Amino acid sequence: MKLGFSPADEAFRAECAEWLQAEMTGEFADIRGIPNLCDAIPRRKEWEQRLGEAGWSCIGWPREWGGRDATIAQQVIFAEEYARAGAPNRINHIGVELAGPTILAFGSEEQKARYLPEIAAGRQIWCQGYSEPNAGSDLANVKTKARLEDGEWVVNGQKVWTSLAHYSDMIFVVARSEDGSAGPKGLSFLLMDMDQPGIEVRPIRQINGEAEFNETFLTDARCAADAMLGAAGEGWKVAMALLAFERGVSTLGQQMQFRNELDAVIDAAKANGKAAVPVIRQKIARAEIGLRLMRYGALRMLSGTDLAAIDGAALTYKIQWATWRRDLGELGMEVLGQAGEVASGDHYSWPTLPNLFLFSRSDTIYGGTNQIQRNLIAERGLGLPREPRGQA
Ligand SMILES: Cc1cc2nc3c(=O)[nH]c(=O)nc-3n(C[C@H](O)[C@H](O)[C@H](O)COP(=O)(O)OP(=O)(O)OC[C@H]3O[C@@H](n4cnc5c(N)ncnc54)[C@H](O)[C@@H]3O)c2cc1C
């Protein structure tokens, strides 16, 4: 099996790299490399629209819906060049990588026409209404309720940790639509406008000073009866398919960003002399090896043609990259020493290592915690017996 990219893929790389470099050194140079998710929101919304106009927003989608029919290898290449150019984190990551692919998979033609062009054009930002105070890892314990009334779904409940809800136009909500149902049965997957009186968003301030996520309260919030993916009561299937997009191949292109982060740690160690400390040198070498292993693993997945095997391998990838990056955050702090206690300092420009440390704590939690990923690998990947589930 050949690991690597074809000449056609490399030509694609040159094309997107040229465009990205031009934008990041030209009109959008002011947002090049901004590290925080909540910085420069209006400019990042403009950037989404620029990506959309140029056809670089959702390259893996079909052309008829604003994509480029890009292969998975090309999507990885684009993500690599995106990070190499220092382009900012996508404010509509959830719309482009999660909502869009799920609408493509489960939506009617009418729903595709309603939502996909707006996402592709960068005009519609989405957020994810899954977690609740008592439904995180145990998502099937969702208590938010939906009932049909006068041709509309009326929704009541509370979501939490809703990333970027305060900047979003739409939210997908997992809600219990069958009275008396429990667990994964009786849930529906609703697509709701954020701009309505029944939705209140309260930002949660985090340890790094940002407020990237929110509590989202739904009080008689409404959406049309047909603003739903899948059948009523069968939203679990849709919710799980979306999670597979969140954990799966959409993350394979992150390694260029990780390269930048590891380089920042190495630069810091060289600058303050820690690179001469044997234990630090060993840890940097271990991080380098880990990064290369991730890259070879990703290339192996990309070079395979058996989608089932790719999905199986992808099961291991979330825990691999999340753990690597958490360890890198800790190494960055070890290298900085006391200087690392100032989170907002510009010690070594981008990415700031204290921020990397604080944010990387969340990598092993969102999109499925490390413990939950181990359960998935055991049960789905290795076919081991399912863990005992308590009574709801
Ligand atoms: C940065 C960030 C952004 C997020 N954005 C969003 C968002 O936009 N929308 C959204 O809906 N949610 C979001 N989340 C929430 C995220 O999905 C949940 O935090 C995650 O699913 C874990 O749920 P929990 O926080 O309720 O923890 P819990 O489920 O309460 O878990 C607590 C601990 O118990 C462990 N545990 C739980 N069950 C098991 C088990 N069966 N076996 C072994 N160990 C177990 C967990 O691994 C964890 O260590 C975000 C979280 C973070 C950190």
Side-chain angles (χ1 to χ4, degrees):
M1 180 171 56
K2 179 179 173 304
L3 294 185
F5 296 108
S6 69
D9 287 338
E10 292 302 342
F12 175 85
R13 181 189 296 281
E15 183 192 352
C16 62
E18 187 185 352
W19 185 83
L20 285 161
Q21 291 289 350
E23 294 294 328
M24 284 297 126
T25 52
E27 195 186 331
F28 287 93
D30 59 312
I31 53 169
R32 182 177 184 279
I34 52 169
N36 291 336
L37 279 171
C38 296
D39 284 348
I41 297 289
R43 282 293 281 153
R44 282 167 60 207
K45 287 191 172 182
E46 285 169 17
W47 171 236
E48 282 296 323
Q49 295 183 9
R50 179 79 190 104
L51 284 163
E53 283 158 16
W56 289 113
S57 176
C58 320
I59 60 170
W61 297 10
R63 280 185 194 278
E64 66 171 313
W65 299 118
R68 286 182 182 240
D69 284 316
T71 61
I72 292 174
Q74 288 172 336
Q75 293 172 57
V76 169
I77 286 171
F78 182 76
E80 288 183 347
E81 294 310 317
Y82 192 91
R84 200 195 308 274
N89 281 322
R90 296 286 298 272
I91 191 172
N92 203 19
H93 171 78
I94 290 177
V96 169
E97 301 291 353
L98 311 187
T102 311
I103 292 168
L104 277 166
F106 292 92
S108 63
E109 289 307 297
E110 197 277 328
Q111 287 173 325
K112 290 178 192 168
R114 198 186 313 161
Y115 303 111
L116 296 179
E118 289 300 296
I119 300 175
R123 288 190 295 264
Q124 194 177 73
I125 313 292
W126 282 72
C127 62
Q128 177 176 26
Y130 273 30
S131 304
E132 298 183 0
N134 289 309
S137 303
D138 189 11
L139 181 62
N141 196 34
V142 155
K143 295 281 187 277
T144 292
K145 288 202 165 150
R147 64 174 195 277
L148 265 180
E149 194 178 284
D150 301 330
E152 287 186 321
W153 288 104
V154 181
V155 182
N156 283 282
Q158 185 201 338
K159 297 293 173 179
V160 71
W161 317 125
T162 330
S163 295
L164 300 176
H166 41 341
Y167 306 119
S168 295
D169 306 295
M170 297 290 298
I171 181 170
F172 46 84
V173 171
V174 178
R176 195 160 293 287
S177 57
E178 283 174 16
D179 273 346
S181 65
K185 298 203 176 85
L187 297 171
S188 293
F189 193 100
L190 303 174
L191 311 174
M192 308 190 72
D193 269 304
M194 289 296 284
D195 185 16
Q196 57 167 303
I199 297 190
E200 186 197 347
V201 173
R202 293 187 204 156
I204 300 171
R205 183 76 48 197
Q206 298 151 211
I207 195 169
N208 66 351
E210 279 201 298
E212 178 240 320
F213 46 33
N214 304 270
E215 293 177 293
T216 304
F217 294 88
L218 302 114
T219 311
D220 287 341
R222 286 166 187 269
C223 66
D226 65 353
M228 178 178 62
L229 290 183
E234 290 177 21
W236 184 251
K237 197 169 60 179
V238 183
M240 290 301 103
L242 183 141
L243 271 187
F245 291 126
E246 184 170 8
R247 294 168 179 159
V249 288
S250 77
T251 59
L252 287 181
Q254 294 176 131
Q255 285 147 25
M256 191 58 67
Q257 179 193 339
F258 295 165
R259 174 79 261 165
N260 291 341
E261 291 169 351
L262 175 53
D263 284 346
V265 173
I266 294 170
D267 287 349
K270 283 182 180 164
N272 71 5
K274 289 272 179 65
V277 177
V279 172
I280 299 283
R281 295 169 71 85
Q282 281 169 11
K283 288 186 179 176
I284 289 175
R286 197 176 305 143
E288 181 73 40
I289 291 166
L291 183 62
R292 290 194 193 193
L293 286 176
M294 276 192 286
R295 180 157 177 82
Y296 295 138
L299 288 174
R300 188 167 55 93
M301 279 187 260
L302 292 171
S303 308
T305 47
D306 178 355
L307 279 179
I310 293 174
D311 282 350
L315 272 180
T316 63
Y317 188 58
K318 162 89 206 316
I319 193 170
Q320 187 183 15
W321 71 253
T323 307
W324 180 89
R325 194 161 180 247
R326 183 197 62 193
D327 293 348
L328 184 72
E330 288 177 5
L331 178 56
M333 293 299 273
E334 210 175 326
V335 165
L336 285 187
Q338 271 194 331
E341 289 170 19
V342 187
S344 59
D346 60 347
H347 311 290
Y348 301 107
S349 68
W350 174 75
T352 61
L353 298 186
N355 252 337
L356 171 67
F357 167 68
L358 293 174
F359 193 83
S360 63
R361 307 309 296 180
S362 71
D363 289 329
T364 54
I365 300 173
Y366 66 81
T369 67
N370 270 12
Q371 290 78 8
I372 293 302
Q373 296 307 313
R374 288 192 183 95
N375 284 347
L376 290 175
I377 292 166
E379 294 175 12
R380 291 194 204 158
L382 302 175
L384 296 175
R386 289 170 64 85
E387 68 161 338
R389 301 282 198 278
Q391 295 296 316

